[in-house]
Amino acid sequence: MNVQIEESWREVLAEEFDKEYFVRLTEFVREEYGKGLCFPPGKLIFNAFNLCPFNRVKVVIIGQDPYHGPGQAHGLCFSVNDGVRFPPSLQNIFKEIESDLGRPVPQSGNLTRWAEQGVLMLNATLTVRAHQAGSHQGQGWEQFTDRVIELLSERREHLVFILWGAYAQRKGAVIDREKHLILASAHPSPLSAYNGFFGNRHFSRTNEYLSAHGIEPIVW
């Protein structure tokens, strides 16, 4: 199947694109986008991959579902388009960066700048129906993104996997802990941020690990 995705990912995932579940998933997504408003825009479904080629990945942040409000989702977990009000979880992420690294809260919640430095911001489900959280779950995206995580774990070394919340931690069960650093804590959602997200120092710890392995750290 000819999937519009960055070339290095197309090579790594070639077998996946021809599997029956992915063909069914593609049909489902095409039908959903044809019937009504879905997010992110079709050309941005694989934005996380297109901005961060396979061999340039340094850090993987695992989210769950794209934002389902107008103008928010653009294919990177937790990130919103320029000019969009920060959702609560993103506000808390910026608060933790400020506390951890002393970096002021930015003007924009668009995290493309992270992706271009090697941060793969991967939602477990890559599409959603407008105003219906979780509406595209259970259709095959989770199997696809599980395989992405598995391939990164198998074929790369010294990556940092950031797992916020129980869902991301379950999804990270396949990661080889001998080869990679796993940073796990509570989710940045207001419901759980005070139960272990704030103070986790994941941003400085990521950079310490990368530097220790001769890898350029991330400018968060």
Side-chain angles (χ1 to χ4, degrees):
M1 175 175 284
N2 183 26
V3 176
Q4 300 302 307
I5 195 170
E6 190 274 334
E7 192 56 39
S8 66
W9 284 107
R10 185 197 308 283
E11 291 174 17
V12 169
L13 293 165
E15 290 182 13
E16 216 62 20
F17 295 142
D18 289 326
K19 289 182 179 174
E20 186 180 337
Y21 88 88
F22 194 86
V23 175
R24 286 198 312 269
L25 169 63
T26 303
E27 290 168 357
F28 167 78
V29 170
R30 194 175 289 127
E31 186 178 313
E32 284 284 293
Y33 274 71
K35 281 193 312 195
L37 187 60
C38 295
F39 299 119
K43 66 182 181 184
L44 295 177
I45 291 172
F46 293 108
N47 197 28
F49 301 89
N50 295 336
L51 291 170
C52 190
F54 182 80
N55 288 321
R56 291 190 54 218
V57 176
K58 302 175 184 178
V59 181
V60 183
I61 299 178
I62 298 176
Q64 189 163 354
D65 230 25
Y67 296 123
H68 53 83
Q72 293 179 306
H74 64 123
L76 308 178
C77 70
F78 296 106
S79 178
V80 290
N81 281 303
D82 291 323
V84 175
R85 185 178 178 184
F86 301 168
S89 291
L90 185 57
Q91 289 181 34
N92 288 337
I93 289 168
F94 288 148
K95 283 181 188 173
E96 176 58 24
I97 290 172
E98 186 174 33
S99 167
D100 186 13
L101 299 171
R103 294 183 66 83
V105 174
Q107 296 296 306
S108 171
N110 187 330
L111 303 180
T112 296
R113 60 188 182 275
W114 294 3
E116 291 172 340
Q117 296 178 75
V119 183
L120 181 69
M121 282 169 282
L122 182 67
N123 273 316
T125 304
L126 299 190
T127 58
V128 69
R129 208 176 295 148
H131 310 298
Q132 295 184 45
S135 49
H136 288 184
Q137 291 177 4
Q139 299 293 334
W141 278 131
E142 295 91 341
Q143 184 175 341
F144 173 73
T145 51
D146 279 349
R147 185 60 180 148
V148 169
I149 294 164
E150 199 170 38
L151 286 164
L152 284 165
S153 176
E154 286 173 3
R155 300 191 187 181
R156 297 290 313 281
E157 290 187 343
H158 308 313
L159 300 182
V160 180
F161 289 86
I162 295 179
L163 311 178
W164 293 326
Y167 183 89
Q169 287 160 31
R170 286 194 300 273
K171 201 162 178 72
V174 297
I175 300 163
D176 185 341
R177 283 152 168 76
E178 299 296 315
K179 291 167 62 180
H180 307 287
L181 175 65
I182 292 179
L183 297 176
S185 78
H187 194 276
S189 157
L191 298 174
S192 55
Y194 287 95
N195 292 326
F197 175 77
F198 288 131
N200 65 21
R201 299 187 60 248
H202 281 182
F203 303 97
S204 61
R205 289 168 67 189
T206 293
N207 282 352
E208 286 162 9
Y209 179 85
L210 294 175
S211 295
H213 289 90
I215 301 165
E216 186 75 21
I218 306 298
V219 179
W220 299 105

